Each structure stands twice: as structure tokens, then as C-alpha cells.
Amino acid sequence: MKNINQNLAAIDVGTNSFHLIVVKTKETGDFEIIDREREVIRLGEGSSGNIKYIKPEVFGRAIATLKRFKGIADSHNAVIRAVATSAVREAYNKNEFIQAVLEKTGIEIEVISGYEEARLIYLGTMKAVPIFNKKALVIDIGGGSTEFLIGLKGNSLYSISLKIGAVRLTEKFFPDHIITDSKIEDCKKWIEVEMVQAVSMIKKTGFSICVGSSGTIMSTGSIIQAKRKGITSIANILNNFEFTSKELEYVKEEILSKKTVARRERIPGLDAKRADIAPAGIIILSTIFQLLNLNTITISGYALREGIILDSLQKLHADSSMPNLSDIRNESVRHLAESCKYDHQHCKHIAKLSVDFFDQIKNLHNLKDGCKEYLYAAAMLHDVGYHISHTNHHQHSFYIIKNSELLGFNENEISIIAHTARYHRKSHPKSRHEDFNLLSPATQEIVKKLSAILRVVDSLDRTHKRIVQSVECRVKNNKVELNLKINKNGNPEIELWNLERRKGLFEEVFDKKLIVKLN
């Protein structure tokens, strides 16, 4: 394998915005995002729908931004790969633009086809959403184009790129940014005509899950989340966030009823910088939902730029090995744990004992099987707070997990994992704890049960010597018998003492007395 333990930077030269991410690569082929930046450029400004020329004033904005991006990448000693999409590949003066960027910034821009763009987006989404083994339809609505790809296990079954982007259709149908019913109808009809072939092929190929990425879809999710939670801020975590066609129609009505940019800027959850192109974007998304009879869509926090990184990593692997995309949730947990220099043997042991305990008392906790994965993740991550400080490390663990990008998990799932790790020691879950109080009652109940299990199991390895090798549980009337298999050379005195101090939550949550027996 080639040495790829270096920093890489990916720049997405998009029609609406330029995006930069800088990542630290690992010998395993994984990566960690260490910096990111975004700037609205509008390469297709003044195009009237057909992007023929990039205007001189846009040249200036673009080059100034790319200079800043170059400076950020250089500060991390990162190798840059820049990819341009719809606006650049269509512009008659694209060669002039590419040469100017090279001369002024030293950045060499790759112009990719719509099909390659779709492939890279699919790569990115596989890293963020657990779709590797599913026949997935990926939709990415950009400023100049919309990409559709149906993939399975990393292979593309069908893909197409259509010229129906949010900036492009804004310039074509809403150049003055004023919304009228006739303009809305004209825009919708245009999209329907452009999508005839794609709709036919997508329905013929079929899919089991729909995933969406990039600005329009992210903005829609942010508005829906704001409505659900009654907040006005823009959501930070939308990866794996799912919304329905009914919720989409609410957003469509909300955006299209606001006839001016100024009024749309005040919509809770909408980035004010997207207020002018939001009508075209929501018409595109709504029309896609209608034509494909979609009921739900899941948001991917990763898209083209992350796909560029993954593609670069795959090319750098001489032995054809590649980042693990088939189990991104487990990989994401492992990656976070390793980045925090955790006690691998202890956490792995606790994770195994926890899931064994979970399985043995299924009829007691009555949780869905999916909760076992949250428990496993919390067990693997419960001590990552040591990375900050031993004192109150459970609270540090909560903060790290809650604010990390655990790919493949949505916001609520991350909250469950973070809270379960937070309550593995010290205080029990309480309504006066602000973050816990914000959880729904159903989620609070899951956290209490998983925390109770984790507290018991973690206490059984207080010395980190794995003296307790395995657990076997039996539920009998008003008690739970916990049979412990002890290492023949081990003395579990400290573990048993610790269990007495920490079994209270288990007995409180399950209303059973916990009795310990040694084998």
C-alpha cells in the first residue's frame, strides 16, 4: 500500500457555492474532517437559464475565494483536488476560467461530467448513510444540475445528470426573485418535461430507499426540523434526517407563499443566503417527489466533496483496498474511539458483555433490537472523555459524542448514544438535566434502560483487568440473578464493591433486585 497518511483537501466548484473540506487521512483508508469552508459564488449568475459564460465579476469572486481556500489547505499541508461541475463544464469560457484560476491560485481544476459527478456523490453518501447493501436512489439538487443515481454495493445501476438546478431555474423563471402562480406553473412544467426519460428509467430500475444531498434538500430538512422542534436556528446535524412528502408540501407552501426575498429570509431554518433560489429549489424537489411517487427521503450529510476524498483514497491504494463502506456505523464508532486514544481492550470487553446482557434480558427491557447497536456504540465510546480529563470524564464523553459526526446515525440516535455514555457513572438521568429533558419521553426511556445496563456492566471491569469474563442472567419474579464467570486467577473484590455502588439505576428502572452469583 502506498503511504497515504497525509492531509487531503477537496474543493467543490459548484454553480451556486464553492465548498472546501480538509481531511486527515488514516493508514486504514479512513479520514477525519479537520476543516471546512463554504462561500456562495453564483457562477451561473445572469445566465437566463443557459450557462454560456462566466462573467468577469464572477471570475473575481471565484478567484478570491479559491485563494482563501488554498491558504486554508496549505495551513494543513493538504494536497488539493478541485472538481468543477455544471456551470464550468457548460461555459464557453471555461478554459479561460480554469487557466485564470491556475495562474492566480495554483489550483488545477478538474471538470467532470454529470455521470462522474453522480458517481462521486454516491461514494460520499455511502460513507454517511447505511445504504451499501441497499438498492438506493440518490438525488442531489445543485445550483446548475440535479443528479440521479441508483446504486447497489458501490456499483451504479443507472445514473443521469439533468440541467434543472436551483440557480439555473431561478435565472430562467424568477430573475427578479418575485413569485407568481404562472411562473411557478411554468417552472414545474419545464421540470416535468426535462425528467420524462429519467422518471421512466428510475421506475424501471427500481429502488428500496431514497437518499438526498446538497443545498436544496438540506435546507428543506432544516426548515422541517425547525418546525418540528419549534426553533428558529439552522440545524447543525441533518445526516440521516428523514422527512415525508407531507412535510415537504408544508415547506413548499411556506416558501412559495412568501413572494419576496425579504420575507423568505425570515423563514425559520432557512439560510438567508438561499432565500432567492429557494423557490426554484423547492419546486424541483416537490416535482421529483410527485413524479417518482416518493413518500420519504433520508438526508446525507456527505455528498460530492466527500466523494472526491474517497475517490482519491481509493486511487492512492495500490493494493485496491478501500475505505469500509459496508458498515459505516461501526466504522464511524471505531474511528471516533481511536481518535480519542481509548482503552481498546476495556471498551471492547464492556461492549461484548453489554450486548450479551441486553440479549439475555430482552423480555425485561422490551427494547427493539436496534437499541442494542446504540448500547454497543455507547459502550465502545463511554470512556472517550478521558481524552479531555479523568475528572467528570462521563460528561466529557457526552460532549464529544454529541458533537461528533457519527456517520450512519441520525441526530436522535447520536443523542441516545451520547446520553447512555454520559450516565454510565455518577448521577442518574434526571429531568433537571437540561439536555436529557429535551429528549422525547420515549427516547428518555431508552436512555434510562441502556444506561442501567451499561452501568452494571462497566462496574464489572473497574480494574480494567477483565476479571469478569462473561455474564449470564436469569429473571426470576422480583429479582435478576447475575451469574459471573471469573478468571481463575482473578479477585473480583473491587468489581463487586463497585457494582453495589452502581446497580441502583438498574433496580430503579426495572423494579427488580439485582443478585450476584460467582462461578
Side-chain angles (χ1 to χ4, degrees), residues 226-281:
K227 182 177 184 292
R228 286 183 187 176
K229 295 188 173 183
I231 58 177
T232 58
S233 60
I234 296 173
N236 291 319
I237 299 178
L238 282 171
N239 191 57
N240 271 268
F241 182 86
E242 184 181 273
F243 61 85
T244 66
S245 56
K246 184 176 180 180
E247 289 176 311
L248 170 60
E249 285 306 301
Y250 159 78
V251 176
K252 178 183 176 183
E253 183 178 342
E254 182 75 2
I255 290 174
L256 298 184
S257 67
K258 307 295 189 293
K259 302 300 183 181
T260 65
V261 173
R263 292 187 65 196
R264 291 192 292 274
E265 286 178 343
R266 295 193 290 271
I267 296 175
L270 178 64
D271 184 348
K273 292 181 179 179
R274 297 189 62 86
D276 57 341
I277 63 171

Side-chain angles (χ1 to χ4, degrees), residues 72-84:
I72 294 170
D74 287 349
S75 73
H76 294 287
N77 296 314
V79 177
I80 296 173
R81 184 178 175 193
V83 168

Side-chain angles (χ1 to χ4, degrees), residues 46-239:
S47 61
S48 299
N50 292 315
I51 305 170
K52 295 182 178 180
Y53 289 97
I54 300 172
K55 291 185 173 182
E57 59 267 32
V58 180
F59 264 53
R61 293 202 300 267
I63 289 171
T65 296
L66 291 173
K67 279 183 178 178
R68 288 194 294 274
F69 284 7
K70 177 72 159 54
I72 294 170
D74 287 349
S75 73
H76 294 287
N77 296 314
V79 177
I80 296 173
R81 184 178 175 193
V83 168
T85 57
S86 181
V88 177
R89 67 174 171 250
E90 293 178 39
Y92 294 156
N93 59 342
K94 67 180 177 184
N95 292 334
E96 181 185 344
F97 175 74
I98 292 168
Q99 187 60 34
V101 169
L102 181 60
E103 290 176 356
K104 301 289 187 181
T105 70
I107 297 173
E108 186 173 353
I109 292 178
E110 299 175 35
V111 180
I112 60 172
S113 69
Y115 293 100
E116 176 65 1
E117 184 178 355
R119 185 188 73 84
L120 292 176
I121 291 166
Y122 179 43
L123 265 182
T125 57
M126 281 192 294
K127 187 66 176 173
V129 184
I131 57 171
F132 184 85
N133 291 310
K134 299 177 182 178
K135 196 175 185 182
L137 169 63
V138 178
I139 303 171
D140 185 285
I141 301 174
S145 63
T146 295
E147 279 62 50
F148 298 87
L149 184 144
I150 298 175
L152 177 64
K153 296 184 177 180
N155 298 311
S156 173
L157 306 179
Y158 170 77
S159 69
I160 192 169
S161 178
L162 301 177
K163 296 180 180 180
I164 48 172
V167 173
R168 185 191 298 272
L169 296 195
T170 295
E171 294 288 343
K172 186 175 184 64
F173 294 101
F174 311 104
D176 54 3
H177 306 304
I178 302 298
I179 309 303
T180 65
D181 291 343
S182 62
K183 289 179 180 180
I184 292 170
E185 187 60 26
D186 288 345
C187 183
K188 185 175 184 297
K189 286 180 179 177
W190 177 276
I191 297 165
E192 290 173 346
V193 172
E194 290 292 305
M195 284 193 61
V196 168
Q197 180 187 356
V199 169
S200 176
M201 288 301 298
I202 290 169
K203 288 183 176 180
K204 181 179 178 181
T205 307
F207 56 93
S208 62
I209 186 173
C210 181
V211 176
S213 58
S214 295
T216 290
I217 293 172
M218 294 286 282
S219 292
T220 303
S222 184
I223 294 169
I224 290 169
Q225 190 178 75
K227 182 177 184 292
R228 286 183 187 176
K229 295 188 173 183
I231 58 177
T232 58
S233 60
I234 296 173
N236 291 319
I237 299 178
L238 282 171
N239 191 57

Side-chain angles (χ1 to χ4, degrees), residues 201-473:
M201 288 301 298
I202 290 169
K203 288 183 176 180
K204 181 179 178 181
T205 307
F207 56 93
S208 62
I209 186 173
C210 181
V211 176
S213 58
S214 295
T216 290
I217 293 172
M218 294 286 282
S219 292
T220 303
S222 184
I223 294 169
I224 290 169
Q225 190 178 75
K227 182 177 184 292
R228 286 183 187 176
K229 295 188 173 183
I231 58 177
T232 58
S233 60
I234 296 173
N236 291 319
I237 299 178
L238 282 171
N239 191 57
N240 271 268
F241 182 86
E242 184 181 273
F243 61 85
T244 66
S245 56
K246 184 176 180 180
E247 289 176 311
L248 170 60
E249 285 306 301
Y250 159 78
V251 176
K252 178 183 176 183
E253 183 178 342
E254 182 75 2
I255 290 174
L256 298 184
S257 67
K258 307 295 189 293
K259 302 300 183 181
T260 65
V261 173
R263 292 187 65 196
R264 291 192 292 274
E265 286 178 343
R266 295 193 290 271
I267 296 175
L270 178 64
D271 184 348
K273 292 181 179 179
R274 297 189 62 86
D276 57 341
I277 63 171
I282 203 65
I283 294 169
I284 294 170
L285 182 57
S286 175
T287 305
I288 290 171
F289 258 64
Q290 291 172 15
L291 295 177
L292 296 177
N293 300 314
L294 298 177
N295 294 316
T296 62
I297 191 168
T298 301
I299 293 178
S300 168
Y302 281 7
L304 177 60
R305 48 202 173 277
E306 290 81 11
I308 294 169
I309 294 293
L310 286 164
D311 187 62
S312 298
L313 287 172
Q314 290 177 4
K315 290 176 179 177
L316 286 168
H317 277 278
D319 62 358
S320 298
S321 61
M322 57 186 286
N324 187 349
L325 298 173
S326 61
D327 189 8
I328 59 172
R329 288 156 77 105
N330 186 52
E331 282 292 300
S332 185
V333 169
R334 180 190 59 78
H335 175 63
L336 176 58
E338 290 180 352
S339 69
C340 295
K341 300 178 176 63
Y342 74 134
D343 184 338
H344 173 73
Q345 293 300 327
H346 166 70
C347 292
K348 188 175 180 180
H349 184 59
I350 294 305
K352 182 183 183 305
L353 294 185
S354 294
V355 297
D356 287 347
F357 195 2
F358 181 96
D359 286 338
Q360 292 168 19
I361 60 170
K362 275 187 176 181
N363 293 333
L364 180 61
H365 60 61
N366 292 316
L367 294 173
K368 294 181 180 178
D369 286 342
C371 291
K372 182 164 65 174
E373 187 177 13
Y374 309 149
L375 176 61
Y376 177 85
M380 290 295 291
L381 298 172
H382 73 283
D383 278 347
V384 293
Y386 277 120
H387 189 59
I388 298 176
S389 171
H390 177 275
T391 304
N392 294 325
H393 75 267
H394 56 294
Q395 294 180 349
H396 300 318
S397 293
F398 170 80
Y399 179 83
I400 290 172
I401 298 167
K402 190 75 168 62
N403 292 281
S404 295
E405 291 184 335
L406 282 179
L407 303 177
F409 295 99
N410 61 35
E411 185 181 52
N412 191 56
E413 291 171 328
I414 293 172
S415 286
I416 292 172
I417 295 166
H419 279 89
T420 301
R422 182 254 184 270
Y423 291 117
H424 83 271
R425 65 191 292 269
K426 297 290 187 179
S427 174
H428 293 187
K430 292 181 174 66
S431 59
R432 71 168 181 266
H433 295 163
E434 183 178 355
D435 289 298
F436 180 74
N437 195 45
L438 291 174
L439 302 176
S440 70
T443 300
Q444 288 183 4
E445 191 65 19
I446 292 171
V447 168
K448 287 179 181 178
K449 291 179 177 180
L450 296 184
S451 300
I453 294 171
L454 183 56
R455 285 171 84 94
V456 168
V457 174
D458 186 55
S459 69
L460 299 177
D461 195 33
R462 179 65 177 81
T463 61
H464 287 218
K465 293 180 179 179
R466 297 177 294 287
I467 293 170
V468 176
Q469 294 184 319
S470 65
V471 298
E472 186 177 325
C473 306

